[in-house]
Amino acid sequence: MRLDILTLFPEMFTGPFDHSIIKRARNKGIVDISLLNIRDFSTNKHKTVDDYAYGGGSGMVMMVEPIALAIDHLKAERTYDEVIFLTPDGELFSQGTANYLSTRENLIILCGHYKGIDERIREKYITREISIGDYVLSGGELAAMILCDSIIRIIPGVLNDETSALSDSFQNNLLSPPVYTRPAEFKGMKVPDVLLSGNEKEIQKWREEMAYKRTMEKRPGLQLD
Ligand code: ADE
């Protein structure tokens, strides 16, 4: 999979993309992440990327031209499955969308800033608008990192234990059951006997029951799209 991220702050991605699972996926060659600075596509001498909104009002708007040039530049190289824009007014991100996107080949991910981006970019280039939740971030970068992390970790071959991504919370519309590790007793609190029993069938049954119970208690309305 190839992910091309368009941003005004490529440096923000170092750290999250250089550790743990994403680092491993990159090192294995399973995912190729490229960060493009939108400012590099500005055609004026001050490298301006934003301007006042027509009609007035507070806040600057990201200009159409640098973003259009950046996307055209990428599209001249290869075909993209989706051009995603991270925005609080997009569709709410879910495990279902992460599963779908993880099966794609090439994605462009556009991070907005300031008051928004010129609407003509959305009309002409964007195929999918995604929000990571009903709150406003100062830019799309953190949202893009969350999107990328959730997509990359479920690509086959990224996690060592291939089944572990499938048993995550939200897969099957259920939250994950509780987990324990050594010691078997801590400050009088014991690990449930069934987990120490070695009886695979009983353990599986217990996990399913607990996943269901947890979902009913914590997130009774959980839905997958
Ligand atoms: N940019 C700003 N807020 C956002 C959100 N909640 N989701 C995605 N992108 C955003």
Side-chain angles (χ1 to χ4, degrees):
M1 167 183 273
R2 184 183 164 105
L3 300 172
D4 283 284
I5 300 171
L6 299 179
T7 170
L8 290 171
F9 301 100
E11 304 80 20
M12 281 179 75
F13 292 81
T14 52
F17 282 2
D18 294 323
H19 294 278
S20 185
I21 309 263
I22 299 189
K23 177 183 177 185
R24 195 194 312 160
R26 294 177 86 178
N27 287 346
K28 281 185 177 173
I30 295 172
V31 66
D32 184 6
I33 302 177
S34 146
L35 291 153
L36 261 81
N37 193 334
I38 297 166
R39 201 172 291 282
D40 292 341
F41 293 86
S42 174
T43 50
N44 69 46
K45 67 170 189 266
H46 302 295
K47 294 278 168 208
T48 313
V49 288
D50 60 322
D51 210 334
Y52 296 102
Y54 275 123
S58 65
M60 305 292 273
V61 176
M62 284 173 71
M63 295 159 72
V64 63
E65 201 191 21
I67 300 174
L69 286 173
I71 297 175
D72 287 341
H73 166 81
L74 291 173
K75 283 185 164 177
E77 298 290 317
R78 64 193 68 76
T79 307
Y80 285 89
D81 300 290
E82 303 276 1
V83 182
I84 299 167
F85 175 47
L86 275 324
T87 174
D89 61 8
E91 60 171 299
L92 219 45
F93 191 50
S94 67
Q95 188 63 52
T97 309
N99 292 349
Y100 170 77
L101 292 175
S102 75
T103 64
R104 304 296 93 186
E105 219 26 70
N106 300 318
L107 302 175
I108 292 177
I109 300 172
L110 172 63
C111 306
H113 246 269
Y114 311 118
K115 196 77 192 161
I117 63 171
D118 190 299
E119 189 66 18
R120 290 164 290 186
I121 288 292
R122 298 173 77 154
E123 278 168 22
K124 185 167 161 55
Y125 290 98
I126 302 300
T127 61
R128 204 147 182 175
E129 301 181 330
I130 295 179
S131 163
I132 61 154
D134 288 336
Y135 40 82
V136 180
L137 304 168
S138 47
E141 282 76 12
L142 288 169
M145 291 176 215
I146 287 169
L147 181 98
C148 290
D149 185 277
S150 67
I151 293 171
I152 292 168
R153 63 187 296 283
I154 52 179
I155 300 173
V158 172
L159 296 179
N160 283 335
D161 174 2
E162 285 223 17
T163 59
S164 79
L166 292 175
S167 61
D168 282 342
S169 279
F170 298 109
Q171 303 285 10
N172 308 325
N173 272 4
L174 290 175
L175 300 178
S176 295
V179 290
Y180 301 86
T181 185
R182 283 187 291 183
E185 185 173 341
F186 175 71
K187 296 191 176 179
M189 293 181 291
K190 289 186 176 158
V191 172
D193 287 340
V194 62
L195 297 179
L196 309 175
S197 70
N199 184 332
E200 283 294 324
K201 222 173 137 195
E202 283 301 311
I203 292 171
Q204 188 54 26
K205 186 165 158 264
W206 180 86
R207 287 190 169 142
E208 282 166 19
E209 283 167 7
M210 294 306 286
Y212 184 76
K213 184 167 174 274
R214 216 166 229 208
T215 308
M216 288 305 129
E217 281 168 9
K218 292 176 188 273
R219 296 287 303 276
L222 192 64
Q223 296 277 315
L224 244 196
D225 65 12

